[in-house]
Structures are given as structure tokens and as C-alpha cells.
């Protein structure tokens, strides 16, 4: 597939519905995980303009920073720590409308106000997380959760 995205305006669900087939095209036939994570992060950032979009991968007992789009980020996160570490520990998506109110939030950037973290599963175990931050409070909702969960299932770990 060409490396150009067709960015559309409109309702959030419509944007995801347009983006998902394009992400499938980017991933199709590419076996390299880093390349695929990089393209997914870039596609999401380009379509939605979020503050930060990226992946953390489980390596031993930590989440280690993987491909991302946005300002520099925390490099390592322990299980159960912050939104990403909690998502990993609970093996569930977390939608956080106000990161300052989240117990143990790790402030990689003071500009981040809300966050969604979606676990990447392999054989029933969390192998990483997709982390998305917004500089706006209460930015993410069940629509984001639904479609981001669909997108991470496209990634072959």
C-alpha cells in the first residue's frame, strides 16, 4: 500500500471507519513489528492530531518505550504503575478523563490532560500497550475504546 493516508473529517466513528482499512493495508504483508507499530502510531497521530500516540512493549518486568509520535516520553514503566502499568496489570483498556485524578499517574508531560491505554494481547497475555494522550481533558470515550481495541487486534505480535 502507498504510505499516504486519506485523512477525513467528520464524526469520530467515521474517521475510525475510514482509517481502519488503511491501517490494514499498511500492516498487510509486513512482518516487522517495529515497522508496524511505527506506522500505526503515525496513522493515528496524523488522523486525530492527538498530543502523544505510542506503544510500550513488555520486556521482563517492565513496559519499555516502543515506536511513538509526539514529544519525548518515559522510557520504562513498572507493572501496576501509572495508567499504562495499571492497564498492563489489569489486562484491560483504561479511559482516564483527568490524568491528575488517576492514582499514581506518571507525568511524562505536564501537557497531557486525558489518556486512553489499550493492552496488546498475545496468547491471552499482555505483550504491550497502546498509549494515547490528549492535551484536552475528557477527550476519550467508548467510541475511541471500541475502535482502538479493534486496531490493536490487527497488530501481529
Amino acid at each position: 500500500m502507498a504510505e499516504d493516508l486519506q485523512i477525513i473529517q467528520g464524526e469520530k466513528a467515521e474517521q475510525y471507519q475510514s482509517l481502519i482499512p488503511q491501517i490494514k493495508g499498511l500492516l498487510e504483508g509486513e512482518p516487522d513489528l517495529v515497522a508496524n507499530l511505527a506506522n500505526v502510531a503515525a496513522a493515528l497521530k496524523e488522523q486525530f492530531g492527538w498530543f502523544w500516540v505510542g506503544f510500550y512493549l513488555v520486556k521482563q518486568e517492565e513496559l519499555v518505550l516502543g515506536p511513538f509520535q509526539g514529544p519525548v516520553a518515559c522510557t520504562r514503566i513498572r507493572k501496576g504503575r501509572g495508567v499504562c502499568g495499571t492497564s498492563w496489570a489489569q489486562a484491560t483498556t483504561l479511559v482516564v478523563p483527568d490524568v491528575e485524578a488517576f492514582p499514581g499517574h506518571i507525568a511524562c508531560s505536564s501537557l497531557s490532560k486525558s489518556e486512553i491505554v489499550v493492552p496488546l494481547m498475545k496468547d491471552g497475555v499482555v505483550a504491550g500497550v497502546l498509549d494515547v494522550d490528549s492535551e484536552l481533558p475528557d477527550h476519550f470515550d467508548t467510541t475511541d475504546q471500541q475502535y482502538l481495541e479493534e486496531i490493536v487486534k490487527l497488530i501481529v505480535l
Side-chain angles (χ1 to χ4, degrees):
M1 172 174 179
E3 283 75 24
D4 290 328
L5 289 177
Q6 298 295 98
I7 303 302
I8 70 155
Q9 302 301 312
E11 296 295 320
K12 189 187 303 187
E14 293 171 328
Q15 291 181 53
Y16 278 113
Q17 290 163 7
S18 172
L19 186 60
I20 287 173
Q22 296 180 79
I23 288 175
K24 286 179 182 176
L26 287 169
L27 300 177
E28 192 171 82
E30 177 52 63
D32 188 83
L33 178 62
V34 171
N36 288 333
L37 295 178
N39 269 335
V40 170
L44 289 167
K45 173 89 166 147
E46 193 170 336
Q47 174 63 55
F48 294 102
W50 293 320
F51 178 70
W52 197 92
V53 181
F55 294 91
Y56 284 91
L57 299 173
V58 175
K59 296 191 179 186
Q60 282 112 28
E61 293 302 310
E62 294 178 302
L63 288 171
V64 178
L65 182 63
F68 71 93
Q69 296 278 312
V72 296
C74 301
T75 306
R76 294 176 182 271
I77 300 172
R78 290 191 319 269
K79 192 172 194 175
R81 187 154 182 257
V83 182
C84 289
T86 302
S87 176
W88 173 23
Q90 296 177 359
T92 191
T93 298
L94 295 178
V95 178
V96 180
D98 177 4
V99 295
E100 297 299 324
F102 189 87
H105 174 252
I106 301 168
C108 294
S109 171
S110 63
L111 298 176
S112 177
K113 301 298 180 204
S114 61
E115 187 170 2
I116 183 170
V117 178
V118 182
L120 284 75
M121 306 299 289
K122 181 177 182 178
D123 301 326
V125 176
V126 178
V129 298
L130 166 62
D131 181 20
V132 183
D133 291 40
S134 174
E135 68 281 8
L136 303 172
D138 200 21
H139 192 95
F140 304 105
D141 58 23
T142 55
T143 299
D144 296 295
Q145 179 175 348
Q146 173 192 338
Y147 286 105
L148 292 174
E149 287 176 350
E150 185 177 331
I151 288 168
V152 298
K153 288 177 184 171
L154 300 173
I155 300 167
V156 177
L157 298 171

